Every structure is written in C-alpha cells, then in structure tokens.
Amino acid sequence: MKKILVTGGSGFIGAEIVNQLYSMGGWNITVLDVMTEQIHGKDWRQSYLYKTIEGKCRFIKGSVCDLPVVQDAIGDCEIILHLAAETGTGQSMYQINQYNETNVMGTSNLLQAISLAGKESKVKKIILSSSRSVYGEGKYECPKCGVIYPEGRSKEKLLAGDFNFYCPNCGEKMTLLPTTENSAIKPASLYAYTKYAQEMMLRTMCPAMGIDYTIFRFQNVYGVGQSLKNPYTGILSVFSSLMLENKLVNIFEDGLESRDFVNVRDVAKGVIDSIECEASTGETINLGSGINTSVIEIAEILKKHYGSSSELKVTGDFRIGDIAHNKADISKAQRILGFSPTISLDEGLKEFCDWVVGQDKDNSGYERFLSEMEKAGMFIRKQ
C-alpha cells in the first residue's frame, strides 16, 4: 500500500481528503493534527471531523512545530499533503507570532525532518495547500490602461462607503478579471504572507532535495464539516449560527463584495488527482469554481434554506485587509487535472444547511472575534 501523511488531516479540507483516500483503498494514511479547540471544541475526541476519520488512519495528535513529532509522522511515507496551518485573514493581523510559528516554522520543520532523514527518506512528493489570498485584490481591467493589479483599498475610501476600485493611473473605474496563477503576488494580510512563504520554501527546497511538489491555491472552500465554532474562517458558519436563532445578520461593506466558493468535495478530489499526475509536478494551480458570488447573495440563499426571519442588514462596517472580490481562473486545473467542479453552489449550500441543522450551535465566539479585531484597529464599525 502507498503511504501518505496528511498534516492537518482532521481539519475541514484534510478530513474530506482522508475520507476520499480511504474510500478509494490502496492507501496507508497517517494524520498529524494538533486538534485546536477553536476548530474542534474542548473535547476533540467528540469533534465531528475527527469522528469522520477515526479508525481510517494512523492518527497522531501533535504539532507541526514539534520536530520529533513531525519526524515520527513522516516515517516512511512517500507522499505528504501539507494542510496544517493557522487560517483566517482577520485573526492573522493581530495573532502575528502564532501564524508565523505554525505556518512558516511548521513548514520549515517538515522540510528539516526530510533533510535529517537523508537517504533514508522515502518522500517523493509534497502537495501544499496555499491560498488565493496571496494575490491580494487580484486582477482588474481599466478601460483605458488595460490589466491592473491594484493595491488594497484605502481606509478613507472605505469609511466614505466607496468600495469600488479605480485605476491608479487614470482614475477610471475598473472591472474584475479572473485571477490567473501568473497574476501579481500582493498579500494583504499576514496570513497571505505566511502562505506565500510556504510556497517559496517548497519552490526553493524541493528541487534541491530531489522531491516533486505541487502547490494549490484554494479559493473559498465550503461544505459539510466546516467548523461552526470558529468565527475566524468563514461567513457561512457565522451567518448560519445567527440565522438559526433569527438574529440580525451584519453584512459588511455594501454586501456586493464577492468570493469564489468551491465545495470541499470538489477540492479534495482535485488534490487527490494531483498525487500521481506527473503534469502537476512543479506547478501552482488554482482550485475554485471560476464564479464569484456576492456576500448578500450567499446570505439570501442561506436565509431561504433555513426559513429564517433574520434581518440582513448592510451596515458598511468593514475589516482592514479584506479584499473586495475574488474570481479564479481555473483553466490550468482543467487542463492539467481535468478538474471541473461537480457541485453547484445552491446544491452545496442546501447540503451544508441540512447538515448544520443537526449540529450543536455556538455563535458565542462571533462578538468576541469582532471585539478582538476592533481592539486591534482591524474592524471598523460605521454606526
């Protein structure tokens, strides 16, 4: 059997990958995960995600920041799927050391462990889960000046309620273009910087160590299993918790900010397909839907599925470092992996909502999250 290590394998995306690998057969799976309370709750053994992989892998509770633990986890694995990371752009802007320690030093530990094994190492390929956040605001077009990669929006314009982008050269209003993998790298959060640092570490070290690698830039991944306890990593969980209690839902900015939502099952399949795909070696690949959907549209779909009476209030509040829009060009994934999303947004959200209804609800962290960000000057209330 082929041996594979999945770091962060009890996380949202990692658990789906483990389950798909297990269903396929032929894989001896090791999972390394620190089981943070923010994702799994106080009793991690009762975590929904952990229960889905329990008994399907060799499970190691430990941190990628602990070198001996990483060495033990790698063992004689041939493939490493590196998903272990602190996630959430907002939290990264004030939990600076924590994000650097886990994302940068954790990846360093992984490479160090392989290096220390020397000729005894069996590792042939590392697959990294990076993020679309490395692009910052992404790719736009000015009617006069052509393609532009804008800097982040100014606090002054956001305070004035202007959430659009204007050409820095001529001042014309710009339109969004799909972000390609060769787009400019312009991280707008510390999280994004750490993900790009991970990418560069693999690009530098893997060729020197004779190891293949593939880097995936995930878009906004959603679906069954998404943490309902973690307010830092997704509007679907936050909106769901509020709507199930018919509470007011604060829609930031003008509600027209948009994201490229892709179902976790499609993402997991794309990653797995790359394991033995030679054409993916040394490549950086977007995994998304290729469609951008506004936050207000998402809120309206969720409200419909829940039958909620929550008021959707567009407040103009905003977070420093949030991007305006996201739409991925996924033609490279289609060409190399034959990747094509199979789950429509409405279908995926209905499945997600049906699952959420059966889970324990906990929105206690949401206001704490906003207070933390406000205290750090990263969340601005307009009212």
Side-chain angles (χ1 to χ4, degrees):
M1 297 180 79
K2 292 166 286 189
K3 297 183 178 181
I4 188 167
L5 167 64
V6 186
T7 71
S10 287
F12 170 45
I13 300 172
E16 178 62 30
I17 290 173
V18 169
N19 276 289
Q20 288 193 24
L21 286 171
Y22 181 80
S23 297
M24 291 166 58
W27 288 99
N28 185 319
I29 308 166
T30 296
V31 165
L32 173 63
D33 201 301
V34 75
M35 305 303 288
T36 59
E37 182 178 333
Q38 187 167 291
I39 296 172
H40 297 282
K42 292 183 178 179
D43 184 359
W44 62 267
R45 292 184 184 278
Q46 298 305 312
S47 161
Y48 170 86
L49 291 170
Y50 174 71
K51 285 184 173 182
T52 68
I53 67 166
E54 190 175 13
K56 299 176 182 177
C57 59
R58 174 194 176 211
F59 178 78
I60 301 172
K61 182 181 183 295
S63 171
V64 289
C65 298
D66 188 331
L67 182 58
V69 170
V70 172
Q71 289 175 298
D72 175 51
I74 292 175
D76 57 355
C77 288
E78 303 163 80
I79 307 294
I80 298 176
L81 302 186
H82 185 36
L83 292 92
E86 295 288 353
T87 58
T89 57
Q91 191 180 29
S92 76
M93 299 298 278
Y94 54 92
Q95 295 283 358
I96 299 166
N97 286 348
Q98 182 176 325
Y99 273 71
N100 273 312
E101 178 70 18
T102 302
N103 297 1
V104 179
M105 288 308 300
T107 304
S108 178
N109 262 344
L110 202 66
L111 294 167
Q112 182 70 75
I114 297 169
S115 176
L116 289 172
K119 293 182 179 180
E120 299 300 315
S121 174
K122 304 295 184 186
V123 177
K124 297 177 181 177
K125 185 171 187 176
I126 301 176
I127 298 171
L128 173 69
S129 65
S130 185
S131 166
R132 68 81 39 216
S133 65
V134 302
Y135 299 122
E137 292 292 351
K139 191 174 183 179
Y140 282 76
E141 184 174 39
C142 168
K144 293 182 179 178
C145 304
V147 173
I148 300 288
Y149 297 101
E151 301 294 336
R153 298 168 295 170
S154 71
K155 184 177 179 180
E156 290 69 30
K157 279 193 174 294
L158 295 174
L159 282 169
D162 187 347
F163 304 106
N164 297 305
F165 271 112
Y166 302 92
C167 178
N169 302 319
C170 69
E172 288 286 327
K173 186 176 177 179
M174 300 191 295
T175 55
L176 180 70
L177 292 175
T179 307
T180 53
E181 289 86 352
N182 62 357
S183 294
I185 301 298
K186 290 194 172 185
S189 68
L190 188 83
Y191 169 70
Y193 276 105
T194 64
K195 297 309 286 185
Y196 191 57
Q198 289 181 325
E199 291 188 13
M200 294 307 297
M201 290 167 77
L202 260 63
R203 289 195 189 100
T204 302
M205 295 306 301
C206 285
M209 300 166 76
I211 300 172
D212 292 338
Y213 71 90
T214 300
I215 296 167
F216 284 106
R217 290 175 178 160
F218 296 158
Q219 309 304 303
N220 288 72
V221 185
Y222 77 97
V224 170
Q226 190 168 338
S227 176
L228 303 178
K229 298 179 174 64
N230 186 0
Y232 301 92
T233 58
I235 60 171
L236 298 188
S237 298
V238 171
F239 286 0
S240 293
S241 295
L242 295 171
M243 287 178 183
L244 287 171
E245 295 186 21
N246 298 310
K247 292 183 175 180
L248 182 145
V249 177
N250 180 349
I251 308 293
F252 294 172
E253 301 190 16
D254 57 1
L256 300 179
E257 63 274 20
S258 63
R259 302 292 182 264
D260 184 327
F261 290 93
V262 59
N263 193 273
V264 66
R265 297 208 310 273
D266 285 327
V267 166
K269 185 179 185 305
V271 171
I272 291 169
D273 285 346
S274 75
I275 293 174
E276 295 181 327
C277 174
E278 290 185 11
S280 71
T281 296
E283 296 289 350
T284 300
I285 303 171
N286 288 332
L287 279 188
S289 67
I291 301 168
N292 61 309
T293 306
S294 72
V295 170
I296 190 66
E297 286 179 81
I298 291 292
E300 288 168 348
I301 294 171
L302 291 175
K303 182 176 178 178
K304 178 191 72 174
H305 283 315
Y306 289 129
S308 173
S309 59
S310 288
E311 177 189 354
L312 307 182
K313 186 175 182 181
V314 178
T315 62
D317 295 351
F318 61 89
R319 298 190 307 181
I320 303 296
D322 271 358
I323 63 166
H325 301 288
N326 173 34
K327 179 180 180 180
D329 183 316
I330 60 171
S331 59
K332 190 174 184 179
Q334 292 169 331
R335 184 178 71 254
I336 292 176
L337 302 171
F339 176 80
S340 180
T342 61
I343 303 164
S344 71
L345 183 59
D346 195 64
E347 175 191 354
L349 287 180
K350 183 181 186 307
E351 184 182 59
F352 170 76
C353 292
D354 289 344
W355 170 76
V356 168
V357 169
Q359 306 303 307
D360 293 333
K361 271 60 98 183
D362 181 7
N363 61 20
S364 60
Y366 180 55
E367 282 301 327
R368 182 181 71 249
F369 152 68
L370 291 183
S371 295
E372 286 177 3
M373 290 206 69
E374 193 168 20
K375 184 178 180 181
M378 296 295 154
F379 175 59
I380 310 298
R381 298 181 193 264
K382 291 290 294 296
Q383 299 176 350

